[in-house]
Amino acid sequence: MANQWVPPEQYVKTLPMHAAYACLFFTDTEGRPLQLHSSLAQHSGRWQWPGGNTDAEGESPFETAVRECREETGIVFTGRPRMLAVFWHSPGQWPVAKIGFAFDGGRLTADDIARITLDPDEHDEFAVRSMAEWAETLDKRTWERLVAVNDARRQRTVAYLEVRPDGVR
């Protein structure tokens, strides 16, 4: 059977399923990361970047990041896609693995930040803080992700992270 051709419609039914999400990583002009504080019970008040799940057929990860950012902050991102990180989350909270993409949103001016309008159904505050300040605020896994993405941007590279219950690798 291994060498037998199977129509794509049948073959995909044998593959593991994954959910996908995408986000934009912004800093202010001084390089301090912007994060949104989740108001959703299932996210336990977690700090996040503007973004969310791909939930439309045929929507690309970058389109997801831009759409979610607009919905969550009012920021209409018009830049080009520049990948900073790819995440793989093991099944656990979700019944399938999740694949995530972080894109560089660039630097926001003080005026850009002042115009942020949060969707209160998803976030109750936003903050721009130094890495040292974020280190005091974030849990271990969220901090590890922030460091990796911030470093990827500074080094002009792409990070790959496996997010597991015991930490980020």
Side-chain angles (χ1 to χ4, degrees):
M1 178 91 173
N3 293 327
Q4 186 177 5
W5 184 82
V6 178
E9 305 79 36
Q10 291 176 357
Y11 176 67
V12 297
K13 292 177 182 177
T14 69
L15 299 175
M17 189 175 141
H18 293 79
Y21 70 92
C23 55
L24 288 170
F25 177 76
F26 293 99
T27 61
D28 68 359
T29 56
E30 295 178 34
R32 298 177 301 182
L34 165 77
Q35 296 204 74
L36 313 179
H37 187 257
S38 178
S39 60
L40 299 174
Q42 67 266 32
H43 291 184
S44 308
R46 190 175 303 147
W47 286 96
Q48 311 167 312
W49 303 308
N53 291 322
T54 300
D55 49 28
E57 185 72 31
E59 183 177 60
S60 74
F62 184 66
E63 290 168 334
T64 296
V66 170
R67 174 185 54 77
E68 286 282 347
C69 180
R70 184 184 65 251
E71 291 172 2
E72 294 178 355
T73 66
I75 296 171
V76 178
F77 185 75
T78 58
R80 298 177 51 89
R82 180 164 131 33
M83 180 73 62
L84 293 178
V86 177
F87 306 98
W88 180 84
H89 298 256
S90 62
Q93 181 180 359
W94 281 59
V96 297
K98 286 188 85 170
I99 298 174
F101 304 89
F103 295 95
D104 191 348
R107 300 192 191 294
L108 299 173
T109 66
D111 287 343
D112 294 330
I113 293 166
R115 285 192 298 270
I116 290 174
T117 304
L118 296 178
D119 175 352
D121 291 336
E122 293 194 48
H123 299 97
D124 53 17
E125 69 176 299
F126 66 89
V128 176
R129 298 180 180 158
S130 69
M131 290 297 285
E133 291 168 319
W134 282 121
E136 295 174 7
T137 306
L138 302 175
D139 63 63
K140 183 179 185 290
R141 278 184 15 174
T142 307
W143 169 247
E144 289 171 343
R145 291 179 64 206
L146 175 61
V147 169
V149 171
N150 194 54
D151 286 351
R153 182 203 246 180
R154 284 187 307 99
Q155 297 167 9
R156 300 197 57 80
T157 187
V158 177
Y160 169 75
L161 296 111
E162 293 185 4
V163 182
R164 298 178 183 270
D166 62 343
V168 177
R169 298 181 195 143

